[in-house]
Amino acid sequence: MDFEFTSEQQLLQDSLRRYVDKAYSFEARNALLKAGKNGSTDNWGLFAANGWLMAALPEAYGGLGGSLVDTVIIARELGRALVLEPFTGCGVLAAQTLLAAGTEAQKERLLPQLADGTCRIALAYSEAGSRGMPLPVTLQAERQNEGFRLTGCKSLVLGAVGATAFIVSAQIPQTPGISLLLVDADRPGLTCQALPLHDGTWVQALHFDGVEVGFDALLGEAGQGLSALRQGLANGIVALCAELIGSMEKTLEVTADYLKVRQQFGVPIGSFQALQHRMADMAAELELARSSLHVALASMANDDETTRDKTVSGCKMLICRAAKSVCGQGIQLHGGIGMTEEYLVGHYYKRAIVADLLLGSSDSHEAACAAALQVGLRA
């Protein structure tokens, strides 16, 4: 697979870099957090106007016809600024799941609204017992005369704050497999509980108490939603890993700049060999993480579903652990200032801790890799 950027992709990266460097300052981000906001509608509108929400959607549905590489470019640059707006949750997870699961009519109706930012959809799949993995699913969607009646709970829904609808995974009694349904956020019986995460961002827990939807809420065919859900999750995990790559890059840059100006014994501490070795170790971990992301991109483009999921799980496991290590080292090399809320390096570490638990923890993905390896060895 060719990982060299096209001229259009280079322009995309340059425009995003200018945006995060000039228009999305650390102070502006902190102001949003202190106000209890998970981003701003103005920023989301800017994302849509610049085409970032439509970059990886087909042209037939209002997109730009790009690829997952475009998504990675966007997510990595947004990760450098710890952008709060739910690009991964709504712009990748939900959009790609809908693209994989929906009928032609559903995609023609909904995807253009996602692309232009007029509609936000979040993917509600995780449950207390699944720990961020697609299975098991206990939420029930019982058939009624005119549709389905949903009962159960979903946890850690990314992008749920401000979402107008949710893609919900459910079990339909007497129908084998997992089904996906589109549920409006204002349906009677649906309760949304906002939950703060350690990095200051917000998710929601959804409680379905007899929520009724029509048969047209079913995305695709009943019982056939698991493959589409896995496809959406794979795209979301790759985007989240790209975001962490951006966080690690920025952490290294900020730390290197600090070591050049912080003095001890009359010289910059960056001249101390022990600290140079630690910086070299951080750079090596970052490079391994980039390589793992490239492997995942190649697998997404070329491999079957089983191989793809195993590769993406391995990518999630390695990059999340690398991000915690690199960002944690960044705090240590800054000393006391790295522990303060007013300085940015500690916020990258907080994001790495939270990202490790989103979309399945590194431990869960390690277990999934081990299980897939055992199946392969037995075959």
Side-chain angles (χ1 to χ4, degrees):
M1 186 174 181
D2 183 11
F3 293 108
E4 291 294 327
F5 288 166
T6 65
S7 58
E8 291 83 2
Q9 289 170 340
Q10 188 62 55
L11 287 172
L12 175 63
Q13 178 180 263
D14 293 342
S15 67
L16 279 151
R17 184 69 58 91
R18 287 193 298 269
Y19 169 74
V20 299
D21 287 345
K22 295 180 180 180
Y24 211 101
S25 66
F26 177 65
E27 292 74 19
R29 178 184 184 273
N30 271 359
L32 288 172
L33 286 179
K34 289 177 181 178
K37 297 181 179 179
N38 215 31
S40 77
T41 53
D42 289 342
N43 287 339
W44 192 253
L46 183 63
F47 288 9
N50 285 328
W52 301 339
L53 301 181
M54 62 182 72
L57 294 177
E59 294 181 12
Y61 308 120
L64 297 179
S67 68
L68 184 56
V69 175
D70 299 278
T71 298
V72 163
I73 292 171
I74 297 169
R76 187 181 72 179
E77 295 303 320
L78 296 182
R80 290 174 61 89
L82 296 172
V83 167
L84 298 172
E85 285 71 24
F87 173 74
T88 297
C90 298
V92 182
L93 271 173
Q96 293 299 321
T97 302
L98 178 59
L99 181 62
T103 63
E104 195 66 22
Q106 289 168 335
K107 290 187 285 189
E108 288 178 353
R109 178 171 62 90
L110 295 169
L111 286 176
Q113 298 179 48
L114 290 179
D116 64 19
T118 57
C119 171
R120 283 199 207 180
I121 298 176
L123 177 63
Y125 79 96
S126 181
E127 299 183 5
S130 67
R131 297 180 180 273
M133 305 302 278
L135 294 173
V137 174
T138 62
L139 188 143
Q140 298 292 302
E142 298 181 3
R143 293 183 185 272
Q144 304 290 310
N145 291 334
E146 298 181 358
F148 301 95
R149 181 181 176 87
L150 279 64
T151 305
C153 298
K154 294 294 181 181
S155 60
L156 287 176
V157 183
L158 296 181
V161 178
T164 55
F166 303 102
I167 297 174
V168 181
S169 60
Q171 292 270 10
I172 299 177
Q174 287 80 52
T175 301
I178 303 301
S179 301
L180 299 177
L181 300 101
L182 186 69
V183 181
D184 291 337
D186 58 358
R187 296 297 297 178
L190 174 57
T191 304
C192 303
Q193 179 186 5
L195 302 170
L197 299 179
H198 184 60
D199 63 346
T201 59
W202 292 77
V203 295
Q204 285 187 347
L206 307 184
H207 304 276
F208 297 83
D209 185 12
V211 176
E212 296 183 353
V213 296
F215 286 119
D216 59 348
L218 182 65
L219 296 177
E221 297 182 18
Q224 302 299 311
L226 182 58
S227 179
L229 177 58
R230 291 189 185 278
Q231 175 73 17
L233 285 174
N235 278 272
I237 289 170
V238 170
L240 183 63
C241 289
E243 177 192 328
L244 292 177
I245 296 291
S247 296
M248 286 188 276
E249 289 175 349
K250 190 65 175 180
T251 297
L252 271 171
E253 293 170 12
V254 170
T255 304
D257 290 341
Y258 180 78
L259 296 183
K260 293 174 184 176
V261 299
R262 175 70 168 92
Q263 292 199 356
Q264 190 71 32
F265 307 112
V267 296
I269 62 176
S271 64
F272 300 157
Q273 191 175 52
L275 301 191
Q276 293 174 5
H277 287 172
R278 291 180 70 173
M279 285 292 292
D281 289 341
M282 291 164 66
E285 285 196 82
L286 172 58
E287 197 57 41
L288 284 172
R290 284 198 190 106
S291 298
S292 179
L293 182 61
H294 289 172
V295 171
L297 282 169
S299 183
M300 289 286 291
N302 301 308
D303 290 338
D304 59 75
E305 181 178 315
T306 300
T307 304
R308 177 203 70 197
D309 288 347
K310 181 178 71 174
T311 304
V312 170
S313 287
C315 175
K316 174 73 160 60
M317 173 185 68
L318 187 149
I319 291 180
C320 284
R321 291 175 178 176
K324 290 192 293 184
S325 173
V326 169
C327 297
Q329 290 275 8
I331 292 176
Q332 291 190 17
L333 289 173
H334 275 82
I337 192 176
M339 299 292 293
T340 62
E341 282 292 312
E342 293 74 20
Y343 195 69
L344 76 167
V345 72
H347 292 262
Y348 288 104
Y349 181 69
K350 287 183 178 181
R351 182 57 183 168
I353 293 294
V354 169
D356 181 45
L357 300 176
L358 298 177
L359 309 184
S361 68
S362 56
D363 290 341
S364 296
H365 283 284
E366 183 177 34
C369 285
L373 181 60
Q374 289 177 339
V375 171
L377 291 174
R378 292 192 188 105

